[in-house]
Amino acid sequence: MIPVEKLEQLSRRYRELDDLMCQPDVLSDRQKLAKLTKERSDIEPVVGQFQRYRDVEKNIRENEEALTDPELRPLAEQELPVLQDERSALERTIKLLLLPQDPNDKKNTIVEIRSGEGGEEAALFAADLFRMFARYAERQGWTLEVMSLSEAAAGGYKECIVLITGKDVYSQLRFEGGVHRVQRVPATETQGRIHTSTATVAVLPEADDVDVQIDEKDLEISIAASGGPGGQGVNTTNSAVQILHKPTGMIVKCQDERSQLKNKAKALKVLKSRLLDIEREKQEAAVSAERRGMVGTGERSQKIRTYNYPQNRVTDHRIRLTLNKLDRIIDGDLDELITALRNERQAALLQEASGEPRRVEDRGGDESDER
């Protein structure tokens, strides 16, 4: 059942906002108008779904009454199952819309990719993951900006930090945080043996100034010559910026820009997002065991996915989903994976709200060599 009384209150508030936004004193006050417009926009989806729900309920009652009429009964018997299915779907949608929204979902996102176990092959895999996210971002119409890049000697990336901006970036990418594992034959392997390597991904919502306050006294900023694979300008200007956050011991370095100021701004942006993530993890540690086990907690120690190249297979271990299209996924076609992960999280939130135990169903695929 849905909370009808609460939904009716939201409907009344929606109509009240329509009236308020037409008042001269509101129209002349940009700040107040923007606040009311945002509130109206936030509740509009659930109000619209509730209105449709009431229309469907009315049609169901009318069809149930029509069952007593011999002439209308065949039509009513045909329409009732369709209407009842629509009512059930609307109830689920409304429950989802009423769940508390994560304030980070609409934020831009910093993605940090680092090579893990596997030496040179791990660095190459980290570069593959970067390209995968870059192509997915392009498909979504997002903008990607490299904040920091550390290349490995034999190719690939030891570390890559990027800022992705656009609509609902964090809500889409939040499930990518964790350990990604690859199984494939490296180019340097002469006997065709499959090697296993890993890379870690951290997904951090971009911190606003109001989210994280940093005292300048807590920072130790040092300047050095930029390092890199060579070329004009490298090691000739003191533009690389390293920031030490003394309370946490966290170090952030940025050297991609020729300007000290730009590198410092980028490094501070990464630092703030990492500090915000620490606070988020503290809050999550205080909630129930069910929520800690939910898809999307983003623990970076957790092996979340395996990319098996010989069998063109990707397996997400959290939801036991296997897809035999690695070539498309590594090229940025992440829609099916991300949709499945979001649906699983929504189902988990609904079950947690109702107090029911949560089960994850096996969605196919042989994972015997991936555990």
Side-chain angles (χ1 to χ4, degrees):
M1 295 294 293
I2 57 174
V4 174
E5 185 176 345
K6 179 177 181 179
L7 290 163
E8 288 175 343
Q9 289 175 355
L10 287 173
S11 297
R12 288 194 295 271
R13 177 58 179 168
Y14 185 79
R15 293 191 294 271
E16 181 184 346
L17 288 168
D18 275 343
D19 293 337
L20 286 171
M21 290 169 62
C22 294
Q23 299 296 324
D25 61 321
V26 173
L27 291 171
S28 61
D29 187 336
R30 283 189 177 183
Q31 189 174 2
K32 189 172 184 180
L33 180 62
K35 183 179 179 181
L36 295 177
T37 300
K38 183 181 183 306
E39 183 183 353
R40 182 184 182 278
S41 176
D42 288 343
I43 66 175
E44 185 175 19
V46 69
V47 170
Q49 292 295 308
F50 181 50
Q51 180 58 55
R52 178 59 190 160
Y53 177 84
R54 288 193 292 196
D55 292 342
V56 170
E57 281 270 85
K58 180 182 176 182
N59 291 336
I60 287 175
R61 289 193 299 270
E62 291 174 350
N63 277 273
E64 287 174 343
E65 292 172 2
L67 291 173
T68 60
D69 187 323
E71 293 184 2
L72 298 176
R73 182 182 180 90
L75 182 60
E77 288 178 338
Q78 184 179 356
E79 289 185 353
L80 265 174
V82 177
L83 290 168
Q84 288 166 345
D85 287 346
E86 184 177 0
R87 179 176 62 184
S88 297
L90 285 166
E91 286 177 349
R92 185 178 188 280
T93 299
I94 289 170
K95 288 176 182 177
L96 285 172
L97 289 170
L98 288 174
L99 289 172
Q101 297 297 305
D102 188 330
N104 293 320
D105 275 352
K106 296 185 182 299
K107 289 190 174 184
N108 298 326
T109 300
I110 290 176
V111 177
E112 302 184 356
I113 306 167
R114 295 180 178 85
S115 61
E117 298 177 357
E120 294 178 359
E121 176 64 15
L124 293 171
F125 180 48
D128 290 339
L129 291 179
F130 164 72
R131 284 189 289 271
M132 180 180 76
F133 292 130
R135 287 168 182 165
Y136 180 68
E138 184 179 357
R139 289 167 183 254
Q140 300 299 312
W142 298 336
T143 301
L144 185 146
E145 178 187 1
V146 175
M147 308 288 285
S148 178
L149 187 63
S150 176
E151 298 182 357
Y157 301 144
K158 291 187 288 185
E159 178 184 85
C160 179
I161 301 176
V162 297
L163 171 65
I164 303 177
T165 60
K167 180 177 170 50
D168 300 332
V169 178
Y170 184 73
S171 68
Q172 298 282 84
L173 293 180
R174 63 183 302 160
F175 310 108
E176 296 305 303
V179 177
H180 295 242
R181 182 170 67 166
V182 64
Q183 295 175 326
R184 62 185 176 189
V185 179
T188 55
E189 172 58 54
T190 58
Q191 299 182 25
R193 290 175 298 187
I194 295 174
H195 288 225
T196 298
S197 306
T198 63
T200 61
V201 176
V203 180
L204 315 176
E206 183 184 15
D208 299 323
D209 289 337
V210 295
D211 294 329
V212 178
Q213 297 293 330
I214 297 180
D215 191 331
E216 288 286 338
K217 293 183 293 186
D218 291 336
L219 302 179
E220 183 178 301
I221 302 175
S222 54
I223 309 297
S226 295
Q232 289 185 340
V234 176
N235 294 321
T236 60
T237 60
N238 289 329
S239 58
V241 175
Q242 178 174 293
I243 299 178
L244 166 66
H245 185 245
K246 289 184 278 190
T248 61
M250 191 179 296
I251 296 175
V252 180
K253 183 177 181 180
C254 187
Q255 62 178 27
D256 278 41
E257 300 286 347
R258 292 180 180 273
S259 163
Q260 264 187 38
L261 289 175
K262 288 182 179 179
N263 281 328
K264 180 181 177 182
K266 283 187 173 184
L268 281 172
K269 191 184 290 287
V270 173
L271 176 62
K272 287 181 179 180
S273 294
R274 289 184 185 176
L275 292 174
L276 178 63
D277 191 53
I278 289 174
E279 290 303 313
R280 180 184 62 81
E281 288 182 350
K282 286 180 182 177
Q283 292 171 6
E284 285 185 352
V287 299
S288 66
E290 288 82 6
R291 183 175 292 275
R292 286 201 300 274
M294 191 181 299
V295 168
T297 54
E299 291 186 16
R300 289 185 281 282
S301 62
Q302 178 187 16
K303 180 188 71 178
I304 65 167
R305 193 175 296 153
T306 295
Y307 303 73
N308 185 300
Y309 274 75
Q311 299 185 30
N312 195 38
R313 185 178 69 209
V314 174
T315 297
D316 195 288
H317 304 289
R318 295 163 296 180
I319 55 175
R320 301 174 190 172
L321 172 64
T322 294
L323 300 174
N324 293 299
K325 55 175 187 178
L326 183 150
D327 53 336
R328 289 159 56 189
I329 289 171
I330 207 70
D331 195 45
D333 185 5
L334 291 170
D335 288 328
E336 187 172 354
L337 268 173
I338 287 176
T339 298
L341 288 160
R342 294 185 72 182
N343 288 342
E344 175 64 25
R345 182 173 183 271
Q346 289 175 344
L349 284 168
L350 286 173
Q351 288 185 346
E352 186 186 21
S354 65
E356 298 176 6
R358 182 174 74 94
R359 293 193 308 170
V360 177
E361 296 182 359
D362 194 334
R363 306 190 186 197
D366 179 13
E367 302 175 50
S368 59
D369 64 331
E370 297 179 347
R371 295 186 186 278

